[in-house]
Amino acid sequence: MAGKFQLIMRSGPTPGALYPLDGDLITIGRDSANTIQINDAEISRRHSLLEFQGGKYVIKDAGSTNGTHVNGQRLAAPYVLKPSDLISFGETIVLAYESADFDPGATVATSRGAVQQARAAAPPPAPAQAYSGQVTSGPPQPVRRINPLPIVIAAGGLLLICACVGFLVWVDANSLWCTFFPFLGGC
């Protein structure tokens, strides 16, 4: 009897989304005509097929561009799914195949590779909510380096202007206009 299995999105556009498997033929893809539609660029319009055979679901790739992977292995032939198998589409989309009566508190034997892949694919935990008055701690902000060149140019220009004004005040105070500027006339 179909319907006692489900897919749960572990990572992808809607983490935690639950897809009950109800039917003898289920299509997965980006197109709205699929039984399970996943709207993501890494999914082909019709990416893979699930067929209910002998009380189990068999997954096949439907000629997708990025391929269908189960427990990290690209499918080259139909594969009989077992609870706790991880189905990957592209680089970021991972679905877990589980029995619908699966007890999340139960201990499940699985391969190390599947556990490592599940850990790598698990979304990061949500940040804790800040309450009023709380200073949130986050990653340290990078030190912003200031380019010293504009500061040096501005300081040099200001120094040059001050030196010129000081020189002209000295010339005027000592009546040395004709000595330094004989072309002014009246000298």
Side-chain angles (χ1 to χ4, degrees), residues 21-178:
L21 302 180
D22 296 322
D24 292 334
L25 179 63
I26 297 170
T27 58
I28 300 172
R30 190 175 68 233
D31 191 66
S32 61
N34 289 292
T35 313
I36 297 174
Q37 180 189 11
I38 301 173
N39 193 10
D40 191 278
E42 292 188 13
I43 299 279
S44 295
R45 285 186 194 93
R46 187 167 179 182
H47 201 99
S48 59
L49 307 167
L50 290 172
E51 289 186 61
F52 194 68
Q53 300 174 356
K56 298 179 181 188
Y57 275 100
V58 177
I59 189 167
K60 301 175 190 176
D61 186 72
S64 66
T65 304
N66 293 328
T68 302
H69 298 77
V70 176
N71 300 327
Q73 300 295 316
R74 187 173 183 143
L75 291 182
Y79 177 84
V80 178
L81 290 170
K82 298 176 288 305
S84 78
D85 279 342
L86 296 175
I87 305 166
S88 306
F89 306 106
E91 302 246 342
T92 60
I93 301 167
V94 178
L95 301 175
Y97 176 77
E98 295 179 355
S99 175
D101 58 350
F102 180 75
D103 178 8
T107 302
V108 178
T110 186
S111 68
R112 282 189 181 160
V115 170
Q116 289 171 344
Q117 184 179 4
R119 285 183 184 154
Q129 290 287 8
Y131 59 86
S132 179
Q134 178 183 4
V135 177
T136 58
S137 64
Q141 296 298 323
V143 176
R144 185 172 177 201
R145 298 188 185 255
I146 298 173
N147 186 357
L149 185 61
I151 295 170
V152 169
I153 291 172
L158 186 61
L159 186 62
L160 180 65
I161 290 171
C162 288
C164 289
V165 169
F167 174 74
L168 291 175
V169 168
W170 178 74
V171 166
D172 191 47
N174 294 313
S175 298
L176 299 173
W177 288 104
C178 289

